[in-house]
Amino acid sequence: MIKLGKLNIEEFRGIRELELDFNYQSFAIHGPNGSGKSGVVDAIGFVLSGSVARLTGEGTGGVSVKHHAPHVKSINDPEAARVSLTFIDTVSGQEGTITRTVKNAADFSLTPDTPELRSALEVALAHPEITLSRRELIKFILAESGKRSKEVQALLQLDKIETNRATLLTAKNKVIADKKSASANVATTKLSVEMHLEIPEANAENVKVAVNKSRVILGLDELEEIKLSTNLKEGLEDDKDEKPFDKGTATREIAAYQVKLDDTKELDAAVKKLLKTCEQIAKSEDLALIKNQAFLQTGLGLIAEEAVCPLCDKNWATPAELRKHLEKKIAGFKELSRINGEVLTDASALKELLTAERNTLKPLHTLSVTWLEASDQEIIQTRLDLLLEFELLIKDAASVFELKDRLEAGTLNHSAELKASIKALTDKIAAQPDTSDVTKARSHLILAAEKWSNYARTKAAEVAALRAADRANLAYDTYCKVADNTLEKLYVEVEDRFGEFYRQINNEDEGNFKAKFKPDGAKLELLVDFYGLGMFPPGAYHSEGHQDGMGICLYLALVEKIMGENFSLSVLDDVVMSVDVNHRKQFCELLRNAFPDTQFIITTHDEIWAKQMQTTGLIRTKSDIRFRGWSVDNGPIHDQGRVFWDKIDEHLADDDVAGAAHKLRHGLEAELPDIAEALGARIAYRGDAKYEMGDFLHAIKGRHAELLKKAAESASSWNKKDEGAKVKQLQAERVAAALTQERESWPTNLLVHQNNWMNMTPKEFKDVPKAWHEFLDLFTCSNPECETWIEVSYKDNKEETLRCRCNDLNLNLVKKS
């Protein structure tokens, strides 16, 4: 596996330019929502895999890495979207740098390109679970048991087990549905044969008699035997350009549909009756229960010969017991069950009418392609689409209720345009001349062969569906038996470690916590102890903070099981949102103590937790970066170290004064709010939170002067001459630095705003950043091992000292009473 060193991001997602040095240690990125933290996580994932997790998967339709990974201002320049990462192979100790651009996301450059480094990258790529976001975290805890099983197995890289199980279960539970669909297709093609040949039943004898009449007229041998595989037009010379047309058949097909247009009483009555039944649903507040009832009813209809529930895959002693169980639950709904039954009955009647109309209209659409204009063809196709849409949507009481408004609006009524198109088709067919007996027989035989072939095809599909069902049943039962035994052993190991981690975080109040996985076929139920009062689902009684804790503990237990000693890197993207202060500390200690060799890259919008990571030793003082905000032009406003001074020098060395001024202002926008917070500077509140740099600057100067005055008064009252002398020195430095800063600050805004008349040479501008640097040094600890801001400490909500974290500077603010 690997650990991360330096990360360079250019024009990627919401980041214009950013360099971070993780230094192969745990690192925290904190800041408000929308400040760009997750962009760093995206960059790490991209440079390692060539993909961005949040741009793929469910709910990301229309979004892609190629078009949406580049910064919005570089959307047409994917080559500018570039990420480089220096990493170390924890096995060989070799260090390398991988670089990837969005333009060639599938490829990367590696320096040096050694087998060891490539192997380390391959291992990292094979373990996407090293990155975890809260949206993934919650899947383990609050997901339904069926979904939890998929998520846990995916993390354990056992998701193929569930994929195979789901595939086999789908094949098994679709048996009856496939049979019904196949049978319906057979019925439709059979009816087409009977209508064309004008026979009461499409059996072998009737078909033989009907087609031989045409064959005799054409001088062809009569067929002695009819099978499904028989070519009814055998011996007839094919004409590829011929479009067979039987005026009599076409006339009968049109007449069959015209009946439905002329007499809509049955359709109108079915719609009216269904709407009346729907009124009972409208008066009921239990639509959710009706949905559940309909769900159970569906399951009842899918029970096969095997005693396995088609809804949850649970095994029963006999099919009869399973059926009795579902029927009992359905009957328990009483009145709702009655209403649902009426709706299903009425909906089924309407659905049959719609199916019948669609099957009758299909041949007319085929005719329209030859005989009508495109506009009329489209009108007929629109009616076919509407009928099919309603057939698919009419499933249960809940779905019917959702169609209520459309039914009331008369959506199923035959439009005037449709009637006109059918009339045009009728006239067109009627205008066709009667053909000779030979021509008529030829078209009749060609169409008969086509319809008979369709009938044979649907019969073959019906047989194939039955064979597939038999194979699916055998495969599913065998597979499940082996898979369940294996998974059950693995879950026991994970649940023990999960419980141990959670107890460490919550040892004060849940020291006896335990968890239990209950695998049941394709489902995985998770039960957790609640203060010794019983085992419950995590979402039943535990708070959101406790659920977050469970999620991260389960994740750690799962990843530890997968990677063991190779667990060297974990990227946690805002996974803890509401853990209280005491538990934050214990969580940090868990990460530090249980995984001492793991590098954690952690993002959070909770600044308290970010500071807790430092105080517990999970991360070092300088191993964090704060994102204060974000803008589309500049990306995240951040304040890691003082690196922006070096960037200013680089711009000046390149004679880029405007760039140096921009970098200076960008850095100050990040630093000044931090100083103001540390000193407790008072800034006028803005409802839009859009503070200007000057707001912070004036408040800082005033507050600093106030604090030094208090420190001087305190030193005098306690007769601490050395401390008093130190304060006087600081006051003198403050006056000098502030005056210089005020004198040299005027060019910054002018240069940033690209005023053409504002031309300065690097030599002329260099005093500006120097003045600002000296000004910021007033608020910085001089100890190179500390370099933190000086800050006010409080006791009982009263100012006590002005100090830095290492205590090199520690001025008493309390006067002797």
Side-chain angles (χ1 to χ4, degrees):
M1 268 296 288
I2 63 174
K3 287 188 177 182
L4 310 185
K6 289 185 178 180
L7 177 69
N8 288 278
I9 308 171
E10 299 175 19
E11 300 297 329
F12 183 82
R13 299 293 285 153
I15 299 172
R16 302 304 303 273
E17 181 182 1
L18 179 66
E19 179 180 309
L20 297 177
D21 188 358
F22 300 129
N23 198 28
Y24 307 115
Q25 299 171 352
S26 291
F27 195 91
I29 306 165
H30 59 101
N33 289 331
S35 60
K37 303 184 302 296
S38 293
V40 176
V41 176
D42 290 343
I44 294 172
F46 172 75
V47 75
L48 291 177
S49 68
S51 181
V52 179
R54 73 185 74 247
L55 298 185
T56 60
E58 185 177 352
T60 58
V63 178
S64 67
V65 171
K66 180 178 180 180
H67 295 102
H68 303 102
H71 188 276
V72 68
K73 292 203 169 185
S74 296
I75 194 169
N76 295 320
D77 188 10
E79 190 169 11
R82 175 186 304 268
V83 182
S84 294
L85 174 67
T86 301
F87 67 95
I88 191 171
D89 172 22
T90 56
V91 177
S92 68
Q94 293 184 22
E95 184 179 68
T97 299
I98 178 175
T99 302
R100 198 185 296 263
T101 67
V102 171
K103 182 178 180 180
N104 299 301
D107 300 320
F108 63 86
S109 64
L110 177 61
T111 307
D113 193 341
T114 69
E116 291 82 1
L117 291 177
R118 280 195 171 267
S119 176
L121 288 175
E122 289 173 2
V123 173
L125 182 60
H127 290 281
E129 67 276 2
I130 62 176
T131 299
L132 180 73
S133 68
R134 189 175 191 275
R135 67 174 181 172
E136 297 165 331
L137 175 74
I138 212 66
K139 295 176 183 177
F140 304 134
I141 299 303
L142 297 182
E144 297 175 1
S145 56
K147 293 182 179 179
R148 180 185 297 111
S149 176
K150 295 178 182 178
E151 299 300 336
V152 170
Q153 290 181 19
L155 192 63
L156 288 170
Q157 298 188 1
L158 300 174
D159 46 317
K160 287 186 178 180
I161 292 179
E162 186 54 38
T163 300
N164 293 340
R165 186 199 300 271
T167 300
L168 295 173
L169 180 60
T170 298
K172 179 179 179 181
N173 289 344
K174 288 287 186 179
V175 172
I176 294 179
D178 288 347
K179 285 175 58 180
K180 287 183 177 180
S181 178
S183 297
N185 290 334
V186 169
T188 297
T189 54
K190 182 181 178 184
L191 178 62
S192 179
V193 170
E194 293 167 350
M195 182 176 293
H196 176 67
L197 296 180
E198 298 182 84
I199 56 178
E201 176 70 24
N203 56 39
E205 184 61 29
N206 289 341
V207 171
K208 182 177 71 172
V209 172
V211 299
N212 278 340
K213 290 179 181 179
S214 295
R215 293 182 66 85
V216 169
I217 294 174
L218 295 171
L220 300 174
D221 294 337
E222 294 186 42
L223 298 175
E224 296 181 359
E225 184 181 14
I226 299 293
K227 298 179 180 179
L228 288 174
S229 59
T230 300
N231 179 9
L232 299 187
K233 62 175 183 177
E234 182 181 355
L236 184 67
E237 184 177 346
D238 285 335
D239 183 351
K240 295 182 179 179
D241 297 327
E242 182 178 6
K243 296 181 178 179
F245 170 68
D246 188 303
K247 182 176 180 180
T249 297
T251 301
R252 288 191 294 275
E253 290 173 339
I254 295 173
Y257 190 72
Q258 189 63 50
V259 171
K260 298 186 180 298
L261 288 179
D262 295 339
D263 185 4
T264 62
K265 292 180 181 178
E266 190 174 11
L267 179 61
D268 294 341
V271 171
K272 184 177 180 180
K273 187 176 182 183
L274 183 57
L275 286 173
K276 186 175 181 180
T277 306
C278 283
E279 292 178 1
Q280 300 179 69
I281 304 175
K283 298 174 185 176
S284 170
E285 298 178 355
D286 298 315
L287 186 59
L289 294 177
I290 292 180
K291 290 181 180 180
N292 193 16
Q293 192 266 354
F295 176 68
L296 294 173
Q297 189 71 52
T298 300
L300 187 64
L302 292 176
I303 297 177
E305 296 180 0
E306 296 81 0
V308 180
C309 178
L311 304 178
C312 68
D313 196 34
K314 180 179 179 180
N315 292 311
W316 289 75
T318 64
E321 287 188 20
L322 171 57
R323 185 179 297 277
K324 183 178 179 181
H325 171 73
L326 292 180
E327 289 176 343
K328 182 179 179 180
K329 292 181 74 68
I330 293 172
F333 289 104
K334 298 181 180 178
E335 180 62 13
L336 293 177
S337 180
R338 181 191 66 78
I339 294 173
N340 192 40
E342 290 182 9
V343 172
L344 290 176
T345 299
D346 296 343
S348 178
L350 175 60
K351 189 172 182 178
E352 288 179 6
L353 291 175
L354 299 180
T355 302
E357 180 181 343
R358 184 166 61 85
N359 288 335
T360 307
L361 184 57
K362 278 182 180 180
L364 274 63
H365 180 263
T366 302
L367 290 170
S368 72
V369 173
T370 301
W371 302 105
L372 294 181
E373 299 292 334
S375 58
D376 289 312
Q377 298 174 31
E378 184 177 351
I379 290 171
I380 295 174
Q381 182 62 59
T382 299
R383 180 65 181 181
L384 284 171
D385 293 342
L386 177 67
L387 294 171
L388 180 59
E389 178 190 5
F390 269 73
E391 288 178 56
L392 296 175
L393 291 177
I394 295 176
K395 297 178 291 186
D396 51 34
S399 61
V400 170
F401 186 70
E402 293 174 356
L403 293 172
K404 183 172 177 288
D405 291 343
R406 296 179 67 187
L407 290 171
E408 289 176 336
T411 304
L412 289 177
N413 294 344
H414 299 112
S415 67
E417 291 81 1
L418 176 66
K419 294 177 180 179
S421 295
I422 300 301
K423 177 66 168 55
L425 183 62
T426 302
D427 295 343
K428 196 74 175 180
I429 297 301
Q432 301 307 309
D434 290 331
T435 56
S436 66
D437 289 344
V438 172
T439 301
K440 184 184 298 184
R442 181 178 178 85
S443 294
H444 184 268
L445 188 59
I446 291 174
L447 289 172
E450 179 183 315
K451 293 177 184 293
W452 184 253
S453 176
N454 289 338
Y455 176 53
R457 175 177 51 78
T458 57
K459 288 290 289 184
E462 185 180 38
V463 172
L466 292 175
R467 291 175 179 171
D470 291 339
R471 292 193 295 268
N473 284 331
L474 177 61
Y476 179 78
D477 292 343
T478 304
Y479 184 86
C480 287
K481 184 177 180 180
V482 175
D484 289 346
N485 289 338
T486 303
L487 288 174
E488 189 169 354
K489 294 178 182 178
L490 185 146
Y491 289 143
V492 169
E493 297 176 7
V494 172
E495 72 184 25
D496 289 342
R497 195 63 167 155
F498 164 46
E500 179 183 341
F501 289 159
Y502 186 79
R503 288 191 295 273
Q504 290 183 44
I505 294 179
N506 301 274
N507 56 10
E508 293 181 358
D509 56 348
E510 291 192 86
N512 295 319
F513 174 87
K514 57 184 178 180
K516 179 66 178 177
F517 282 123
K518 293 182 65 176
D520 185 4
K523 295 191 173 186
L524 179 62
E525 186 176 5
L526 173 60
L527 299 176
V528 295
D529 172 71
F530 186 71
Y531 294 94
L533 299 176
M535 302 291 286
F536 306 95
Y541 297 109
H542 281 89
S543 68
E544 182 180 345
H546 284 84
Q547 292 167 22
D548 280 343
M550 289 181 198
I552 189 65
C553 290
L554 180 54
Y555 162 79
L556 292 171
L558 291 168
V559 176
E560 182 186 52
K561 178 63 180 176
I562 301 167
M563 305 184 69
E565 295 181 354
N566 290 324
F567 185 30
S568 63
L569 174 65
S570 178
V571 182
L572 305 179
D573 187 12
D574 216 359
V575 297
V576 179
M577 298 180 65
S578 55
V579 180
D580 59 66
V581 176
N582 289 334
H583 291 169
R584 287 193 196 104
K585 178 181 177 182
Q586 292 163 347
F587 173 66
C588 292
E589 291 175 346
L590 169 65
L591 295 183
R592 187 190 65 195
N593 297 329
F595 305 97
D597 298 323
T598 301
Q599 178 189 26
F600 290 100
I601 309 296
I602 302 173
T603 73
T604 178
H605 63 260
D606 190 330
E607 187 174 353
I608 296 176
W609 189 48
K611 291 181 178 179
Q612 195 82 55
M613 284 187 252
Q614 292 183 351
T615 59
T616 57
L618 177 61
I619 65 173
R620 294 186 178 181
T621 302
K622 294 185 179 181
S623 296
D624 76 326
I625 185 170
R626 182 176 184 180
F627 285 3
R628 290 195 163 278
W630 179 89
S631 70
V632 69
D633 290 323
N634 301 314
I637 300 173
H638 59 87
D639 56 355
Q640 184 186 17
R642 304 291 182 270
V643 293
F644 76 91
W645 300 115
D646 298 330
K647 301 254 182 207
I648 291 172
D649 292 339
E650 291 174 6
H651 281 292
L652 292 178
D654 294 334
D655 290 333
D656 182 9
V657 177
H662 177 81
K663 189 66 66 178
L664 173 61
R665 183 175 182 88
H666 190 59
L668 293 174
E669 286 174 345
E671 302 283 24
L672 292 179
D674 241 359
I675 299 171
E677 181 182 0
L679 298 181
R682 290 176 287 277
I683 301 171
Y685 172 75
R686 289 179 180 265
D688 59 3
K690 294 182 179 179
Y691 296 98
E692 298 292 336
M693 193 171 74
D695 296 333
F696 293 106
L697 180 60
H698 298 312
I700 289 169
K701 287 181 177 179
R703 178 59 168 165
H704 189 223
E706 176 189 346
L707 291 170
L708 291 181
K709 181 180 179 182
K710 289 184 177 183
E713 292 173 349
S714 173
S716 178
S717 70
W718 292 98
N719 196 27
K720 291 186 177 181
K721 295 181 180 181
D722 290 343
E723 190 166 313
K726 178 65 174 177
V727 173
K728 286 183 179 180
Q729 177 190 343
L730 293 174
Q731 288 175 323
E733 292 174 354
R734 175 192 173 279
V735 171
L739 287 174
T740 304
Q741 175 270 318
E742 290 176 1
R743 184 174 64 250
E744 299 291 349
S745 63
W746 66 273
T748 306
N749 282 340
L750 298 175
L751 284 165
V752 168
H753 290 95
Q754 302 295 321
N755 292 288
N756 293 328
W757 58 269
M758 184 60 205
N759 295 314
M760 294 184 72
T761 66
K763 184 177 180 180
E764 292 170 329
F765 184 72
K766 68 178 183 179
D767 287 337
V768 177
K770 178 181 178 183
W772 277 107
H773 201 162
E774 291 174 354
F775 179 73
L776 295 193
D777 282 345
L778 293 174
F779 315 101
T780 310
C781 175
S782 59
N783 181 358
E785 296 299 321
C786 180
E787 290 190 336
T788 59
W789 300 123
I790 61 173
E791 59 186 7
V792 178
S793 65
Y794 297 84
K795 183 176 182 180
D796 298 329
N797 293 323
K798 294 181 180 180
E799 297 166 351
E800 184 177 36
T801 62
L802 179 63
R803 56 183 291 272
C804 66
R805 290 188 186 178
C806 73
N807 281 324
D808 266 18
L809 176 69
N810 193 332
L811 302 177
N812 189 8
L813 299 176
V814 181
K815 291 193 295 185
K816 186 176 182 180
S817 57

